[in-house]
Amino acid sequence: LTDDLQLNDTTETSTLCSVLAGTYTINPALPVSTTNFTSFTSVIDALYCGGISSNVTFEVASGTYNEQISLGPVNGTGPGSRITFTSATGNPADVIIAYAPVVSTANYILNINGIEYVTFENMTMTNTGTALGHVIEFTGNSDSVIIRNNVLNGIVNASTSTAFSVVYSTGDLNN
């Protein structure tokens, strides 16, 4: 059969994503798989694409991750569906997230932007910059966020500017 009227032909593509549930790893030394991610960025892309259906834990392998992380609302989070990022060894010194912010509109290592039910634990977050100093920034009315047993390293200086606050919140509805 020949299609004589090709002007009305359409093609549509969609990205299908898996809903996440259970335990995964973040380990750049291992190949990408259904249970391993190589960066925080790739995890966040997967969370935004498919969401979660129950508790999800990301065990982060020892090493230094030079990333700026911004995490907004994820489908499926709630009282019985929490996202947890934790050092695989339980030792904060083994997982270091380091970044040097360069613009005031993205002055953070970790931005918690309106997400609910997320935990970051047993890691070290270090601001390696000199001009901007936030390590964790809360925006967008985040709720039920747990920051537990982490080492937060900001910039040491004599400034009283909020640009150098180690933990900073832009609103009063961040819990």
Side-chain angles (χ1 to χ4, degrees):
L1 248 171
T2 304
D3 184 356
D4 294 326
L5 189 54
Q6 296 175 353
L7 295 174
N8 68 353
D9 292 352
T10 59
T11 301
E12 189 175 307
T13 60
S14 298
T15 300
L16 299 177
C17 301
S18 297
V19 176
L20 301 178
T23 301
Y24 300 85
T25 57
I26 301 175
N27 188 340
L30 297 176
V32 173
S33 70
T34 57
T35 60
N36 184 63
F37 297 86
T38 57
S39 68
F40 285 89
T41 302
S42 62
V43 165
I44 292 167
D45 290 345
L47 288 169
Y48 286 162
C49 191
I52 67 172
S53 63
S54 66
N55 287 323
V56 175
T57 299
F58 295 97
E59 296 177 345
V60 186
S62 298
T64 299
Y65 297 80
N66 294 302
E67 295 188 64
Q68 185 178 43
I69 302 165
S70 182
L71 187 56
V74 172
N75 287 331
T77 57
S81 297
R82 176 173 287 278
I83 300 167
T84 300
F85 294 88
T86 186
S87 166
T89 66
N91 183 349
D94 290 344
V95 174
I96 300 168
I97 304 168
Y99 189 78
V102 293
V103 283
S104 61
T105 55
N107 179 10
Y108 56 83
I109 308 306
L110 171 62
N111 175 240
I112 304 295
N113 185 8
I115 189 169
E116 297 179 341
Y117 300 97
V118 66
T119 300
F120 284 84
E121 62 186 10
N122 302 320
M123 295 183 282
T124 298
M125 298 178 205
T126 301
N127 186 321
T128 58
T130 56
L132 299 165
H134 297 169
V135 176
I136 299 176
E137 182 177 83
F138 291 91
T139 57
N141 300 330
S142 300
D143 191 18
S144 301
V145 175
I146 298 171
I147 306 294
R148 177 176 39 225
N149 197 38
N150 294 286
V151 176
L152 308 178
N153 297 313
I155 297 172
V156 177
N157 66 29
S159 175
T160 58
S161 168
T162 59
F164 296 99
S165 302
V166 174
V167 177
Y168 182 77
S169 176
T170 60
D172 61 354
L173 297 176
N174 293 304
N175 299 309

